[in-house]
Amino acid sequence: MTAPAVDAARADAGLAIRLEGVSLGYGRHAVLEDLRLDIAPGEVLVIVGPSGSGKSTVLRAIAGLLAPRAGRVLAEGVPVTGPSTDRAMVFQDDALLPWRTVLRNVELPLRIRGVPRRERRTAAESWIARVGLAGCEDRLPRELSGGMRQRVQLARSLAGAPRAVLMDEPFGALDAQTRAGMQRLLLDVLRDTLATVVFVTHDVDEALLLADRVVVLGHRGGHGGIGRVLRVPDPRTPDIDRAGLRARIIEEL
Amino acid sequence: MSTPALDATLGPAAPAVAGADAVTATGRTRTADGLRRWAVRSASLAAVVAVWQWLTTADARVGLRFDRLPSPAEVAAEFGRQLGTRIYYLDLAQSMIRILTGFALAAVAGIALGVLVARSRWAGDVLLPPVEVVRPIPAIALVPIAILVFPTDEQGIVFITFAAAFFPIMVSTRHAVRALPTLWEDAVRTMGGGRAHVLWNVVLPGTLPGVFGGLSVGMGVAWICVISAEMISGEFGVGYRTWHAYTVVDYPAVLVGMASIGVLGWVASATIELLGRRLTRWLPRVDEGVEGGAR
């Protein structure tokens, strides 16, 4: 989509994302200053931080929804100037279009890409089944529970075959049990995809469960910025004691 | 207007056919309840007509002079006579054509302009000042200008109708667009959607509830204005016929005209209302919660 050098074999591979001295804020108020971060293709990077630390703001900048005040966001070496099909986003809640059925919501990214009707229907149906909602295709979002709506959002974001998935506290509004189920589903789905994942949460355990690397956003000298970047050994492997790492993250927060 | 009530009675009754005694029972009580409500409504209407009949046949003069007012029986007789004439239907058709043309133009222009001024600051700065100055002028006060500017009366009347419906539609659309959550737009943009996609998939469907509010108000005002304009200029139409009957002191015909205006206006508003409900089925329904709470 961007560089002609990218050959067909790499078309669905994860996106390399780089933040170069990025400063972000709304209006005259800077929330974050001088962010430097390299996100490797295919990795799961989790950004943790307390509420108000600007986690979502970083994600919006990577998505291309918010222009940096200074610095550059690079995707595959090309500066990000706006949103693109390459970088799909999953929002916290209520981002489904309420007037579209489940099927038509999931079809939307394919429709925008100009995929023919029959093909997009097949793709959407298989994604809906993949997130465990087969049979719910014709329901409206208002007829679904919060957890089901987030499943649809996950299916919708992945249906467009993005090279990066940006997730903004996607399970933040769910109860603990539904949340655990969604985390299992996400781990399951991520196993089959090469896409880079940037996941924002305030939940340290969620971060340790999903991440290759954990980035802690914190406050340093008045402005927010990137604290420490911690690698998670043997990521996404169950029954590993991560108490030490957990304590270090909490200390950083 | 009647459809929601119909749905309420048919909804639970339909599965009742399939079996389950409990469901049948609630279906029956609901149907009975619905019938009772319709009986009360019809009785209310009948009572008004009965009082009217009594006042006029008794030649009551109690401050107000009912002795000159035609009785419902006279009006009904006149209505029956007019139903047999071609002219009655021509008048109805003429008024309907005028209001539908004016209203359709106003809907298209009002929605387009409402979206434009809400989405583009530049368009707002250019277009809003003249609109805001013209808006307080009652559409009917534009009649002299309409007569002056438009070559035919017909165009003038359609223009008045258009002017009446345009402003409520435009203003409602503008507010609905401004009140739209940005989340849906962000979602469509991160799917790679451009301006056209956002407009078509988010702005237009998302503002529909608000837009239909404007369309309802617009239809009401347009109806008032088409009748008034017909009374002033025009050679056909329900408004013209009603005014004509007054000038020849044919009061039963005046009342037939008034009743026709009332019924047609109600049908027009109900159509908009029904269409609006059909197109905004996705809204969280208020009546569901209320019904659930009542039981």
Side-chain angles (χ1 to χ4, degrees):
Chain A
M1 168 141 284
T2 46
V6 178
D7 55 63
R10 279 183 53 200
D12 67 335
L15 204 63
I17 298 164
R18 162 178 260 187
L19 306 185
E20 276 185 358
V22 170
S23 160
L24 298 168
Y26 301 95
R28 311 180 94 194
H29 183 67
V31 180
L32 295 158
E33 292 269 28
D34 196 31
L35 302 178
R36 291 171 192 282
L37 185 63
D38 264 307
I39 306 172
E43 84 166 320
V44 180
L45 181 98
V46 177
I47 303 176
V48 289
S51 53
S53 60
K55 308 181 292 279
S56 301
T57 310
V58 176
L59 217 53
R60 289 179 68 82
I62 297 173
L65 291 171
L66 177 71
R69 298 153 59 89
R72 298 193 300 173
V73 177
L74 300 171
E76 213 71 54
V78 180
V80 167
T81 53
S84 135
T85 41
D86 271 356
R87 284 165 277 122
M89 186 130 168
V90 178
F91 299 85
Q92 186 167 359
D93 197 12
D94 292 328
L96 296 177
L97 303 183
W99 47 88
R100 285 181 160 252
T101 60
V102 168
L103 181 68
R104 292 191 2 103
N105 260 293
V106 177
E107 278 184 345
L108 189 56
L110 301 167
R111 198 192 142 104
I112 287 172
R113 283 189 161 194
V115 175
R117 183 182 294 262
R118 192 176 303 166
E119 229 172 285
R120 68 177 186 243
R121 196 189 172 100
T122 317
E125 275 171 350
S126 90
W127 271 110
I128 292 166
R130 186 82 178 77
V131 298
L133 288 179
C136 296
E137 286 86 352
D138 294 327
R139 293 221 220 156
L140 287 167
R142 70 172 162 90
E143 297 165 321
L144 304 176
S145 68
M148 289 161 93
R149 284 201 295 269
Q150 289 311 83
R151 281 166 192 259
V152 178
Q153 258 211 80
L154 187 63
R156 182 175 74 175
S157 65
L158 293 169
R163 299 181 56 200
V165 185
L166 314 173
M167 308 183 87
D168 188 4
E169 299 207 45
F171 313 142
L174 304 178
D175 61 83
Q177 213 171 350
T178 314
R179 180 170 226 199
M182 288 298 292
Q183 287 162 349
R184 275 195 300 276
L185 173 70
L186 182 64
L187 286 176
D188 198 34
V189 169
L190 289 182
R191 212 168 292 137
D192 312 334
T193 168
L194 297 168
T196 307
V197 176
V198 184
F199 191 104
V200 159
T201 182
H202 61 264
D203 179 345
V204 178
D205 293 309
E206 188 167 68
L208 289 171
L209 183 72
L210 300 170
D212 287 304
R213 287 193 301 157
V214 177
V215 170
V216 183
L217 272 194
H219 282 267
R220 288 176 313 171
H223 297 297
I226 288 173
R228 195 167 296 200
V229 183
L230 300 158
R231 181 163 293 282
V232 179
D234 297 316
R236 294 178 292 284
T237 317
D239 309 322
I240 287 187
D241 182 25
R242 304 199 193 278
L245 196 56
R246 190 173 190 279
R248 278 179 67 197
I249 294 172
I250 288 171
E251 195 180 308
E252 282 283 323
L253 293 169
Chain B
M1 280 274 141
S2 63
T3 312
L6 209 63
D7 283 347
T9 51
L10 283 183
V17 179
D21 288 345
V23 181
T24 317
T26 57
R28 266 193 204 131
T29 52
R30 287 260 221 121
T31 315
D33 196 40
L35 280 176
R36 203 176 309 125
R37 291 186 63 195
W38 277 106
V40 170
R41 290 171 186 171
S42 318
S44 162
L45 205 58
V48 170
V49 175
V51 170
W52 174 14
Q53 176 75 24
W54 176 74
L55 284 171
T56 47
T57 50
D59 287 344
R61 294 189 74 145
V62 281
L64 304 170
R65 298 170 300 179
F66 290 101
D67 52 340
R68 295 215 212 147
L69 196 70
S71 70
E74 285 173 81
V75 175
E78 171 64 17
F79 186 53
R81 190 192 66 75
Q82 286 201 18
L83 281 180
T85 63
R86 232 169 77 80
I87 199 88
Y88 181 73
Y89 299 100
L90 280 178
D91 284 335
L92 285 192
Q94 189 71 49
S95 293
M96 286 312 274
I97 288 170
R98 285 168 178 162
I99 193 158
L100 288 180
T101 315
F103 182 76
L105 291 173
V108 171
I111 292 170
L113 208 67
V115 170
L116 191 66
V117 297
R119 302 274 303 173
S120 152
R121 187 189 296 181
W122 189 82
D125 286 344
V126 171
L127 297 171
L128 275 184
V131 166
E132 290 299 331
V133 171
V134 177
R135 179 151 79 108
I137 305 171
I140 203 69
L142 296 174
V143 166
I145 303 296
I147 290 173
L148 199 66
V149 171
F150 286 97
T152 70
D153 279 359
E154 202 54 45
Q155 291 164 337
I157 293 172
V158 169
F159 168 74
I160 297 295
T161 316
F162 166 85
F166 172 78
F167 291 105
I169 296 172
M170 197 222 50
V171 172
S172 308
T173 306
R174 180 157 68 103
H175 285 292
V177 173
R178 287 212 183 140
L180 205 62
T182 52
L183 184 58
W184 296 329
E185 184 176 342
D186 287 346
V188 168
R189 288 181 63 208
T190 54
M191 293 171 206
R195 284 179 84 110
H197 289 119
V198 170
L199 182 70
W200 189 250
N201 293 304
V202 177
V203 175
L204 291 181
T207 52
L208 223 45
V211 168
F212 263 94
L215 290 176
S216 270
V217 177
M219 182 53 100
V221 191
W223 189 246
I224 293 168
C225 286
V226 77
I227 296 297
S228 312
E230 282 178 350
M231 287 183 168
I232 296 167
S233 65
E235 295 152 41
F236 274 110
V238 187
Y240 168 78
R241 198 61 56 199
T242 307
W243 192 254
H244 180 74
Y246 167 67
T247 58
V248 299
V249 210
D250 182 359
Y251 271 92
V254 169
L255 276 134
V256 168
M258 286 167 60
S260 307
I261 292 167
V263 169
L264 274 188
W266 176 71
V267 168
S269 301
T271 308
I272 296 289
E273 190 82 7
L274 198 67
L275 195 67
R277 279 193 209 184
R278 280 279 153 83
L279 290 175
T280 57
R281 284 235 168 113
W282 49 270
L283 281 175
R285 270 189 224 138
V286 184
D287 51 273
E288 272 179 0
V290 173
E291 269 177 25
R295 269 190 288 157

